[in-house]
Amino acid sequence: MKQPIFLKPLFQERIWGGSKLKKSYGYQIPSLKTGECWAISAHPNGQSVVASGCLAEKSLGELWEEQPELFGHFDSDRFPLLTKILDANDDLSVQVHPNDEYANEIENGELGKTECWYIIDCDDDADMIFGHHAKSKEEFIQSIEEGNWDDLLQRVKIKPGDFFYVPSGTIHALCKGTLVLETQQSSDTTYRVYDYNRLGQDGKLRELHLDKAIEVTTVPHTASKVEPAVAQTAGGSITTFVEEDYFTVYKWEVKNSLSLTQEAHFTLASVISGEGKIISEGRGFSIKRGDHFILPNQMQSFTIEGSVELIASHPNNKGARHHELESTARQMANI
């Protein structure tokens, strides 16, 4: 398999969702409240399916189990990452995610959720909630109990092209008018802290998860500074945004032609603008805005031609091993 594995996106309706996934990418969304495109996923709550070729209609989970050679026999008990595009037509709830250890114990073996965001587009003067001002857990709890959200929550201005790394334990919320590509651990565990007293589709206040959120939130907040490293070539550029335990994330910006070598076990890629083609061993495969694909392990070198921007990522061994070692330690402690 020395060609891209193209995947069909699937969609999740959300109370805060909108229609930008249709307007921006031409996706056939289920409603005008579509908040999430699960672009590359093997999570049980939404699995990607191969769009074409000899593997057509296979789920990503099936490929992971049946053909591990496609992924370089990556050392993990599950497909480790999940790529999404989020349309925040309204404010998301203020939320926090657990780490691996907590999620594995409390959420029946689920992974924790460290994630990152690339701001594809946003309204003028847009912002988001990223962190909090509490200096101690006691101060954090008191602010929640008193509903002192304006003083507790930290807001930061955003603009298209910004990138944020969001480790587990970070209080955060995307805000109205934001279109984001998210790279995250393959997890669907979220603890809601505050939801603006918003009513759900059933007419009732949406559930909060304050006890769990207080347990997992990092206090005081520690901002994770992102320092992108840019490598320029005649045909484009490669920006490395983050290289952490669970993933490395890049932007490939192609002006005419960019030749790349894959050093990871496999790579996830999403086309965020433009169009072109990816060439592997003399064969060309068309790519355009809104396409998502995996570059399998056997596809070691390739060239991208055209005028096109992609966000690419790959899992890192440390994250997979970290989860495995935590699980083993808990099993031994229970003997």
Side-chain angles (χ1 to χ4, degrees):
M1 178 60 68
K2 296 185 178 182
Q3 64 188 64
I5 302 171
F6 289 91
L7 299 165
K8 299 178 184 178
L10 58 148
F11 304 96
Q12 308 280 359
E13 294 175 277
R14 298 289 185 257
I15 191 172
W16 42 263
S19 59
K20 281 186 180 176
L21 292 172
K22 180 178 181 180
K23 293 175 183 176
S24 296
Y25 294 102
Y27 295 143
Q28 296 301 307
I29 59 177
S31 77
L32 300 182
K33 285 286 186 181
T34 303
E36 301 188 3
C37 164
W38 288 30
I40 303 176
S41 169
H43 194 278
N45 291 352
Q47 292 234 11
S48 300
V49 172
V50 179
S52 59
C54 61
L55 302 174
E57 303 306 320
K58 284 268 191 182
S59 73
L60 183 52
E62 287 178 303
L63 292 186
W64 181 259
E65 293 294 330
E66 297 171 5
Q67 300 191 47
E69 68 278 3
L70 295 175
F71 310 99
H73 297 275
F74 186 77
D75 185 14
S76 177
D77 63 355
R78 69 200 78 184
F79 190 85
L81 301 183
L82 200 167
T83 301
K84 297 178 181 176
I85 301 178
L86 308 179
D87 172 14
N89 189 55
D90 199 354
D91 295 342
L92 276 68
S93 61
V94 180
Q95 57 193 244
V96 65
H97 306 300
N99 62 19
D100 281 346
E101 183 177 8
Y102 190 94
N104 188 54
E105 180 178 347
I106 303 300
E107 304 296 343
N108 300 313
E110 178 83 322
L111 291 178
K113 190 176 176 185
T114 286
E115 60 190 359
C116 59
W117 300 329
Y118 177 83
I119 310 299
I120 299 173
D121 196 13
C122 62
D123 291 346
D124 294 339
D125 203 31
D127 64 5
M128 70 179 189
I129 293 167
F130 188 61
H132 61 83
H133 297 292
K135 299 297 188 292
S136 66
K137 192 73 82 168
E138 292 75 20
E139 184 182 343
F140 182 69
I141 294 170
Q142 183 179 353
S143 294
I144 290 174
E145 290 176 344
E146 295 176 354
N148 192 10
W149 302 110
D150 288 342
D151 289 337
L152 175 63
L153 300 175
Q154 178 174 294
R155 290 182 176 268
V156 298
K157 294 294 183 183
I158 62 173
K159 63 184 185 302
D162 282 349
F163 184 91
F164 295 88
Y165 176 61
V166 190
S168 60
T170 304
I171 292 286
H172 63 277
L174 294 174
C175 296
K176 181 178 180 178
T178 309
L179 189 67
V180 169
L181 187 138
E182 177 176 289
T183 303
Q184 59 160 91
Q185 289 179 267
S186 183
S187 173
D188 199 25
T189 299
T190 294
Y191 299 147
R192 241 181 249 130
V193 179
Y194 176 58
D195 197 36
Y196 317 99
N197 298 315
R198 180 163 46 188
L199 300 180
Q201 293 181 344
D202 58 3
K204 300 178 181 179
L205 292 173
R206 296 208 297 166
E207 181 184 6
L208 302 180
H209 314 96
L210 292 178
D211 290 345
K212 291 179 178 179
I214 288 168
E215 284 193 272
V216 306
T217 297
T218 301
V219 181
H221 168 68
T222 303
S224 299
K225 189 175 182 181
V226 174
E227 298 180 345
V230 182
Q232 297 280 359
T233 73
S237 63
I238 302 167
T239 301
T240 303
F241 286 119
V242 68
E243 188 172 3
E244 294 288 347
D245 285 357
Y246 299 103
F247 45 66
T248 298
V249 181
Y250 310 90
K251 180 166 73 170
W252 297 338
E253 188 170 1
V254 183
K255 295 178 180 177
N256 46 63
S257 179
L258 189 64
S259 294
L260 297 161
T261 299
Q262 180 171 217
E263 297 179 356
H265 287 75
F266 60 96
T267 301
L268 294 67
S270 297
V271 183
I272 56 172
S273 69
E275 60 182 24
K277 60 182 177 179
I278 184 166
I279 300 169
S280 173
E281 297 201 341
R283 295 185 64 193
F285 304 88
S286 296
I287 56 174
K288 65 183 186 308
R289 179 182 177 93
D291 284 347
H292 309 276
F293 52 89
I294 292 173
L295 303 174
N297 181 262
Q298 295 83 0
M299 195 171 163
Q300 290 296 302
S301 60
F302 54 93
T303 299
I304 303 174
E305 294 182 350
S307 178
V308 60
E309 289 185 337
L310 305 93
I311 299 296
S313 63
H314 61 73
N316 292 332
N317 274 320
K318 188 174 181 181
R321 295 296 300 170
H322 181 63
H323 177 65
E324 179 183 312
L325 290 171
E326 284 178 339
S327 299
T328 302
R330 276 187 298 280
Q331 290 168 8
M332 292 181 68
N334 291 328
I335 293 175

